[in-house]
Amino acid sequence: MEKTINDAAVLADFHPHFDAYERALVCNDIAELDRLFWNAGETVRYGAGENLYGYAAIREFRMARSPVNLDRTVIRKAVTSVGDDVAVTHIEFTRAGSDRIGRQSQTWVKFHEGWRVISAHVSVMA
């Protein structure tokens, strides 16, 4: 079965959720971050210093994380939708006071309750 790549209507539907995630991240809006992650044991998030398996582990990490210095500047963004219910995102970002480039990739799926992150990976280049 063929899937449509980057359908304009799918991207228009998806982008507000991706933008909401970025706002929630830099504002440490834990409730919104929790809402945007798929609430399942199969959800995975690899962070700069942690490997988190399952929604509960991701939520515990967010609750314990310091809200200081979460601001970042997105310097490059790539979004690809696949069909009408999957989107893959990649960003590069910087943080004030650092010359290191951060990278974030996510896989989103549109469930009946809306778009949710099912997989995320964050890393920083030396």
Side-chain angles (χ1 to χ4, degrees):
M1 175 195 320
E2 280 209 31
K3 297 274 190 176
T4 301
I5 304 298
N6 287 341
D7 179 83
V10 174
L11 290 172
D13 178 53
F14 171 71
H15 272 286
H17 303 278
F18 184 61
D19 295 341
Y21 178 88
E22 186 64 23
R23 281 190 307 274
L25 184 69
V26 299
C27 295
N28 201 41
D29 184 344
I30 294 170
E32 180 71 349
L33 292 168
D34 287 348
R35 185 186 74 76
L36 291 169
F37 267 75
W38 183 38
N39 188 349
E42 296 84 2
T43 304
V44 175
R45 180 187 178 277
Y46 290 158
E50 64 284 335
N51 297 330
L52 305 170
Y53 294 89
Y55 177 87
I58 296 166
R59 186 170 192 283
E60 286 176 31
F61 166 78
R62 293 220 187 277
M63 296 292 290
R65 182 179 63 173
S66 170
V68 177
N69 295 326
L70 295 177
D71 286 340
R72 64 188 190 176
T73 301
V74 175
I75 57 174
R76 188 167 187 176
K77 175 168 69 170
V79 176
T80 304
S81 67
V82 181
D84 61 0
D85 59 358
V86 175
V88 179
T89 65
H90 297 88
I91 66 168
E92 294 179 33
F93 62 89
T94 58
R95 295 194 189 275
S98 175
D99 58 355
R100 299 178 75 188
I101 303 291
R103 300 173 295 181
Q104 171 187 293
S105 60
Q106 298 173 323
T107 303
W108 294 69
V109 173
K110 187 175 186 180
F111 294 97
H112 66 276
E113 67 270 19
W115 287 97
R116 300 295 184 264
V117 177
I118 66 166
S119 176
H121 190 169
V122 179
S123 62
V124 179
M125 294 173 52

